[in-house]
C-alpha cells in the first residue's frame, strides 16, 4: 500500500464502475477530466448517471474540462476512522464546483496547501493522484 | 370520501426501551433479543400484550427480521409489515407509517422499533471502502456511485455533514461557539437522567480543548456509537383512551425530500438553494399543513442530533428561525431547558443520552406530552420529532396530547 500524506491510501482507491461511469475513469487514467453532457438538452450531470435528470434521455457527450474550479466546501480529516488512514492525515477533502457545467461538483482531495489556510471560494486547479489501476482527480490552490 | 389526512387518526399508546450501551457492550444479547425486550416493555407500558399486535412499521431495515421476531413472540397474525426506505431519516416517519396503517384499517396495534448493535459494524465509518485484503470491515460495499466520494477519503457521516456545516459557517457567520451551545445544552439535559451514557457536565473549555475529528466538528459535535433498542406502539384513537397511559395523538407527519436532495451527503450535488440545509424543508411544510399548526405552536422539539451542527440547520428548516439565523438563535439561549423559548432534546439526544438512531426522540416526545418526562417542559402540549438529516427520506412528526 502506498500512503501519501493528504491523499487516500492507494489500497482504498477503487475504480468500480458501470456503463454510465466507466468512461469517466477511462479518461482520468489518461489525465483527462471529462463531464457528461446530455446530447438532447445540454445539461451536464455528475456523478455520471444513465439518465438526464432534466429530459431523461440517456445519450451523452463527454466534455473535457480544464479542472479550474472553486472550493464550494471542505472538511479537514484529523481522525483515522478506519485502520490504515493514520499516516495520510490530515486530509483536506473538498467539494469542487466546476464553472460552465451548470453547477457540477466533484469531491476530491485538496493538496499542496496547509489545512489552516484553506477557505471556501478558493480557486483550485486540477492535479492527478496516480495509483496502479488508474488516476483520481485531486486539486491544488490556483494562483 | 374521507378527508385525506392522518391528523388525530392514530395515537401512540406505549413506549419502551432496553438499557443503552456503549458500542458492542450489549453482547451476548442479539439485535432481536434487544428488539423483543423493547417491544415487551412498550406493550406493558400500553397495557397491551403480544396477542394484540398485528403490525410492524419500521425504518432503515430497523435491523430486525419481522418474520423471526413474530415467530419468536408468537404474534397471532401479522396484517401489516412495512418500512420506510433509507436509514435513520425514517425514525419519526416510521410512526407516520404506523399511523397510516391504523388509519386505513390495515392493522390495529402497530409496533415501530429500532434495535442497534455495533459489534460487527460501525456507523462512524459507514461509507468506508474496503482496502485490498479486506481491511475496513465495517463498511458497505463500494459501488459505482460511492467511489466518487470514497476515492477522496470521504467515508464517514461526520465528514460529510461537516461539509454542509462548513459552508453554513461561510455563508452566514455561524461559529464553533454555536455548535458548542448545542453540545453543551444537550449535555446539560442528559446529566439528570439515569438512562444517559454521558452524565458529566461539558464545559466550554472542554469543548474547545477537544480533539478535532473532521473540521469543523470536534469530538463533542459527534453522537456516540451505541447499542440498544426502543419500541413504540401505535393504535387507533378509538382504542387508545382505554389503555394504561394517556394517549399521544399524531397531529401531522411527513417524510421524503426533494429528488435532487437525493443521496445528499454522499454526492454533494444538491442545488445551491438548499445545500446548507437539513433536507427537511419540503416534508416539514407538509407536516405543518397536515397538523394545521406552525412552528410557533411547538412546545418542545426533539431534533435528530447525530451531529451538533445539523440541529442548527433543522431549526431553520422547521421555521423556528430564519434561514442562516440558527447560530444567533441558539446563542440567545432559546434551545435550553427549562428557560429557553424552544427546549430542544430534553432527553440528552443522540449526542449525550444514547444514539438509538432517533427512536429515543420519539420516546421523549411521548413522555413530555404525558407530563412524565425527567426534564419536563411545563404544560407541553405539542412536540416535534424529526428523523435525519440524511439521504431521502428525512421525516418529521408532530404529536399532541
Amino acid at each position: 500500500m502506498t500512503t501519501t500524506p493528504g491523499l487516500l491510501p492507494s489500497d482504498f482507491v477503487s475504480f468500480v464502475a458501470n456503463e454510465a461511469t466507466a468512461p469517466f475513469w477511462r479518461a482520468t487514467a489518461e489525465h483527462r477530466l471529462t463531464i457528461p453532457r446530455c446530447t438532447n438538452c445540454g445539461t451536464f450531470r455528475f456523478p455520471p448517471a444513465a439518465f438526464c435528470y432534466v429530459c431523461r434521455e440517456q445519450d451523452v457527450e463527454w466534455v473535457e474540462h480544464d479542472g479550474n474550479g472553486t472550493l464550494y466546501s471542505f472538511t479537514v480529516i484529523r481522525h483515522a476512522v478506519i485502520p490504515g488512514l493514520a499516516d495520510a492525515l490530515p486530509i483536506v477533502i473538498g467539494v469542487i464546483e466546476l464553472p460552465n457545467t451548470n453547477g457540477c461538483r466533484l469531491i476530491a482531495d485538496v493538496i499542496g496547501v496547509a489545512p489552516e489556510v484553506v477557505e471556501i471560494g478558493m480557486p483550485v486547479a486540477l492535479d492527478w493522484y496516480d495509483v496502479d489501476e488508474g488516476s483520481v482527480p485531486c486539486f491544488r490552490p490556483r494562483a | 370520501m374521507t378527508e385525506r389526512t392522518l391528523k388525530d387518526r392514530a395515537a401512540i399508546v406505549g413506549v419502551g426501551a432496553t438499557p443503552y450501551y456503549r458500542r458492542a457492550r450489549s453482547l451476548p444479547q442479539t439485535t432481536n433479543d434487544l428488539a423483543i425486550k423493547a417491544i415487551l416493555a412498550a406493550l406493558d407500558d400500553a397495557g397491551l400484550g403480544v396477542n394484540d399486535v398485528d403490525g410492524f412499521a419500521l425504518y432503515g431495515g430497523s435491523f430486525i427480521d419481522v418474520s423471526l421476531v413474530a415467530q419468536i413472540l408468537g404474534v397471532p397474525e401479522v396484517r401489516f409489515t412495512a418500512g420506510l426506505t433509507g436509514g435513520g431519516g425514517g425514525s419519526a416517519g416510521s410512526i407516520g407509517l404506523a399511523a397510516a396503517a391504523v388509519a386505513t384499517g390495515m392493522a390495529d396495534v402497530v409496533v415501530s422499533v429500532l434495535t442497534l448493535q455495533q459489534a460487527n459494524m460501525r456507523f462512524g465509518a459507514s461509507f468506508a471502502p474496503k482496502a485490498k485484503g479486506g481491511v475496513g470491515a465495517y463498511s458497505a460495499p463500494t459501488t459505482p456511485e460511492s467511489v466518487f466520494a470514497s476515492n477522496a477519503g470521504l467515508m464517514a457521516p461526520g465528514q460529510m455533514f461537516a461539509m454542509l456545516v462548513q459552508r453554513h459557517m461561510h455563508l452566514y457567520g455561524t461559529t464553533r461557539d454555536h455548535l458548542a451551545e448545542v453540545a453543551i445544552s444537550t449535555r446539560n439535559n442528559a446529566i439528570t437522567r439515569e438512562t444517559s451514557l454521558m452524565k458529566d457536565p461539558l464545559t466550554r473549555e472542554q469543548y474547545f480543548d477537544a480533539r478535532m475529528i473532521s473540521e469543523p466538528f470536534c469530538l463533542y459535535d459527534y453522537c456516540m456509537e451505541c447499542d440498544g433498542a426502543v419500541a413504540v406502539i401505535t393504535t387507533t384513537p378509538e382504542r387508545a383512551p382505554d389503555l394504561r397511559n394517556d394517549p399521544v395523538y399524531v397531529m401531522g407527519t411527513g417524510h421524503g425530500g426533494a429528488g435532487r436532495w437525493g443521496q445528499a451527503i454522499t454526492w454533494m450535488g444538491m442545488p445551491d438553494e438548499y445545500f446548507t440545509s437539513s433536507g427537511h424543508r419540503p416534508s416539514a411544510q407538509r407536516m405543518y399543513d397536515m397538523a394545521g399548526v406552525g412552528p410557533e405552536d411547538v412546545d418542545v422539539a426533539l431534533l435528530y442530533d447525530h451531529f451538533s451542527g445539523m440541529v442548527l440547520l433543522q431549526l431553520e428548516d422547521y421555521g423556528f428561525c430564519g434561514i442562516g439565523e440558527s447560530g444567533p438563535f441558539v446563542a440567545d439561549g432559546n434551545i435550553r431547558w427549562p428557560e429557553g423559548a424552544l427546549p430542544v432534546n430534553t432527553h440528552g439526544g443522540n449526542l449525550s443520552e444514547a444514539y438509538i438512531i432517533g427512536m429515543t426522540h420519539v420516546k421523549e416526545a411521548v413522555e413530555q406530552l404525558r407530563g412524565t418526562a425527567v426534564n419536563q417542559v411545563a404544560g407541553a402540549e405539542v412536540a416535534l420529532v424529526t428523523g435525519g438529516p440524511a439521504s431521502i427520506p428525512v421525516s418529521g412528526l408532530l404529536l399532541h396530547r
Side-chain angles (χ1 to χ4, degrees):
Chain A
M1 179 162 75
T2 307
T3 295
T4 308
L7 291 164
L8 181 72
S10 60
D11 275 9
F12 294 100
V13 174
S14 165
F15 296 97
V16 60
N18 58 27
E19 195 178 357
T21 66
F24 177 82
W25 297 114
R26 281 200 295 270
T28 63
E30 301 168 355
H31 287 192
R32 290 187 302 113
L33 177 66
T34 59
I35 308 294
R37 181 169 65 186
C38 175
T39 52
N40 182 55
C41 77
T43 304
F44 287 92
R45 57 187 193 255
F46 201 85
F51 297 86
C52 173
Y53 68 91
V54 174
C55 74
R56 286 87 202 183
E57 291 295 321
Q58 289 201 257
D59 291 344
V60 296
E61 57 181 328
W62 289 85
V63 178
E64 191 154 342
H65 198 284
D66 63 9
N68 287 332
T70 55
L71 191 63
Y72 187 79
S73 196
F74 70 99
T75 184
V76 183
I77 309 304
R78 301 278 185 186
H79 172 77
V81 296
I82 54 173
L85 281 191
D87 292 342
L89 302 181
I91 299 175
V92 179
I93 305 178
V95 177
I96 314 296
E97 193 154 78
L98 297 174
N100 307 314
T101 63
N102 52 261
C104 287
R105 300 185 197 125
L106 260 61
I107 300 167
D109 293 335
V110 181
I111 59 172
V113 60
E116 293 73 22
V117 301
V118 175
E119 57 182 10
I120 290 174
M122 196 172 79
V124 292
L126 181 63
D127 202 339
W128 294 100
Y129 173 34
D130 297 326
V131 299
D132 287 347
E133 304 89 343
S135 294
V136 177
C138 59
F139 290 82
R140 291 178 178 275
R142 174 163 50 98
Chain B
M1 187 177 161
T2 332
E3 188 192 355
R4 295 172 68 200
T5 181
L6 291 174
K7 186 181 184 184
D8 292 330
R9 296 182 65 192
I12 297 175
V13 293
V15 290
T18 65
Y20 306 135
Y21 306 84
R22 302 303 293 257
R23 181 168 74 82
R25 295 199 187 154
S26 64
L27 291 170
Q29 301 167 94
T30 68
T31 51
N32 281 335
D33 292 345
L34 294 167
I36 288 169
K37 288 175 184 179
I39 292 167
L40 292 174
L43 286 169
D44 183 61
D45 182 60
L48 293 168
V50 169
N51 286 344
D52 297 298
V53 172
D54 63 357
F56 291 85
L58 309 172
Y59 63 102
S62 299
F63 307 106
I64 70 163
D65 176 342
V66 169
S67 63
L68 181 57
V69 166
Q71 172 189 315
I72 291 171
L73 277 175
V75 173
E77 183 186 354
V78 175
R79 300 191 179 102
F80 182 90
T81 176
L84 293 191
T85 55
S91 55
S94 71
I95 310 304
L97 183 63
V102 303
T104 54
M106 293 195 74
D108 282 334
V109 175
V110 177
V111 171
S112 298
V113 62
L114 191 288
T115 182
L116 177 62
Q117 186 176 72
Q118 301 195 63
N120 297 314
M121 60 171 177
R122 292 190 64 172
F123 274 48
S126 50
F127 301 99
K130 284 192 198 331
K132 298 175 185 70
V135 182
Y138 302 122
S139 53
T142 305
T143 70
E145 289 77 28
S146 71
V147 294
F148 286 94
S150 62
N151 278 352
L154 191 66
M155 61 180 73
Q159 301 166 350
M160 296 167 172
F161 285 109
M163 296 278 195
L164 275 54
V165 173
Q166 183 91 269
R167 186 162 175 84
H168 195 272
M169 291 171 141
H170 169 77
L171 290 175
Y172 304 115
T174 311
T175 66
R176 288 193 65 208
D177 270 300
H178 299 142
L179 305 184
E181 170 63 24
V182 174
I184 292 168
S185 66
T186 305
R187 178 64 62 84
N188 284 340
N189 296 336
I191 60 180
T192 54
R193 293 170 61 83
E194 283 185 21
T195 50
S196 294
L197 294 177
M198 304 296 264
K199 292 198 183 75
D200 296 327
L202 174 63
T203 67
R204 197 175 171 282
E205 290 68 33
Q206 286 171 313
Y207 177 89
F208 280 96
D209 285 347
R211 62 197 170 93
M212 271 291 171
I213 306 293
S214 185
E215 294 178 22
F217 291 163
C218 73
L219 180 66
Y220 295 114
D221 295 309
Y222 277 68
C223 67
M224 297 169 282
E225 292 175 306
C226 298
D227 294 3
V230 178
V232 178
I233 309 296
T234 302
T235 190
T236 62
E238 290 74 27
R239 193 161 181 181
D242 302 328
L243 300 179
R244 184 166 288 160
N245 280 297
D246 290 341
V248 167
Y249 294 93
V250 172
M251 202 177 184
T253 186
H255 74 255
R260 293 290 283 173
W261 177 259
Q263 295 192 308
I265 56 170
T266 60
W267 80 300
M268 298 290 170
M270 305 85 92
D272 190 55
E273 61 176 302
Y274 54 77
F275 181 90
T276 55
S277 83
S278 64
H280 281 258
R281 285 176 207 165
S283 54
Q285 188 59 54
R286 280 186 283 114
M287 177 198 74
Y288 283 132
D289 289 347
M290 181 186 289
V293 300
E296 65 281 3
D297 299 300
V298 175
D299 298 310
V300 56
L302 294 314
L303 304 180
Y304 193 99
D305 56 332
H306 40 12
F307 305 103
S308 63
M310 298 315 291
V311 171
L312 299 179
L313 274 56
Q314 289 177 82
L315 289 166
E316 297 173 8
D317 290 348
Y318 280 89
F320 298 111
C321 59
I323 301 299
E325 295 173 2
S326 56
F329 180 82
V330 300
D332 288 345
N334 281 304
I335 65 169
R336 293 179 191 175
W337 178 85
E339 70 273 24
L342 179 77
V344 167
N345 294 346
T346 44
H347 59 324
N350 289 328
L351 291 171
S352 283
E353 189 198 34
Y355 172 68
I356 312 296
I357 318 192
M359 220 40 175
T360 58
H361 297 59
V362 179
K363 182 169 181 283
E364 173 69 5
V366 170
E367 291 175 2
Q368 285 287 347
L369 296 175
R370 287 177 177 173
T372 60
V374 174
N375 298 321
Q376 181 65 43
V377 173
E381 295 191 358
V382 175
L384 168 67
V385 187
T386 68
S391 57
I392 293 173
V394 299
S395 62
L397 175 70
L398 273 175
L399 300 170
H400 77 94
R401 64 178 187 189

